[in-house]
Amino acid sequence: MPKVTVHRKAHFNAAHRLYRKDWSDEKNTAVFGKCSNPNFHGHNYDLEVSVTGEIDKETGFVMDLSILRKLIKEEVEEAFDHKNLNVEVAEFKEVNPTAENISVVIYDKLRTKINRNLDLSIKLYETPRNFVTYSGN
Ligand code: NI
């Protein structure tokens, strides 16, 4: 069977601050710039989740997109939307909530819920021009 990739877009707003406790304010500002603002700031994150696999003979689907939509809602939107990632999301208590690290957390959460026969890939936009991708490698 041909392998096809299905995609689902989602969105969440969240606040964060990039910093290291073990660095001085000057070094944090030098490395992280505006993203190190001690009072936090928000981003409008756009997410694209892609699932690749063979088309199921019975359904004609790679994956039922309504199931993927529900998974993203439960695992990502409800966990992150309108949250302060540093303060309210356990995964970022000790991990800087960069787009890179957020994409890995999203991947890991979804990976456990998606059939192993299917490949998973995450694309996360922190701004319209800055985005990261992660496929578990
Ligand atoms: Ni930022």
Side-chain angles (χ1 to χ4, degrees):
M1 286 299 275
K3 279 201 169 180
V4 175
T5 303
V6 298
H7 307 268
R8 172 77 191 175
K9 289 185 181 180
H11 179 81
F12 57 93
N13 302 312
H16 77 167
R17 179 191 180 196
L18 303 183
Y19 73 109
R20 291 189 59 95
K21 281 181 267 188
D22 55 330
W23 287 359
S24 67
D25 289 349
E26 290 73 23
K27 184 162 183 187
N28 273 301
T29 302
V31 174
F32 298 120
K34 284 183 185 171
C35 275
S36 197
N37 175 2
N39 293 319
F40 303 96
H41 63 278
H43 289 283
N44 298 314
Y45 291 95
D46 276 313
L47 174 66
E48 290 177 31
V49 176
S50 303
V51 176
T52 302
E54 292 188 356
I55 300 172
D56 183 275
K57 284 197 186 75
E58 285 185 318
T59 62
F61 291 154
V62 171
M63 178 178 181
D64 184 338
L65 278 175
S66 71
I67 293 173
L68 185 59
R69 172 181 58 80
K70 249 185 84 186
L71 266 180
I72 295 168
K73 184 170 190 287
E74 290 167 3
E75 299 295 328
V76 181
E77 293 171 5
E78 286 173 9
F80 297 168
D81 191 37
H82 286 74
K83 296 283 172 68
N84 180 317
L85 298 176
N86 302 74
V87 173
E88 295 177 278
V89 178
E91 287 89 346
F92 302 112
K93 282 274 190 283
E94 303 296 331
V95 172
N96 241 350
T98 58
E100 290 88 332
N101 284 328
I102 298 169
S103 72
V104 173
V105 167
I106 291 171
Y107 177 94
D108 288 345
K109 293 179 85 160
L110 296 177
R111 182 68 276 183
T112 63
K113 309 275 173 126
I114 292 172
N115 193 318
R116 278 278 155 195
N117 309 333
L118 302 171
D119 292 326
L120 175 63
S121 181
I122 302 299
K123 186 185 281 187
L124 181 69
Y125 288 79
E126 191 171 73
T127 73
R129 291 167 193 258
N130 293 347
F131 59 97
V132 303
T133 58
Y134 181 60
S135 307
N137 301 308

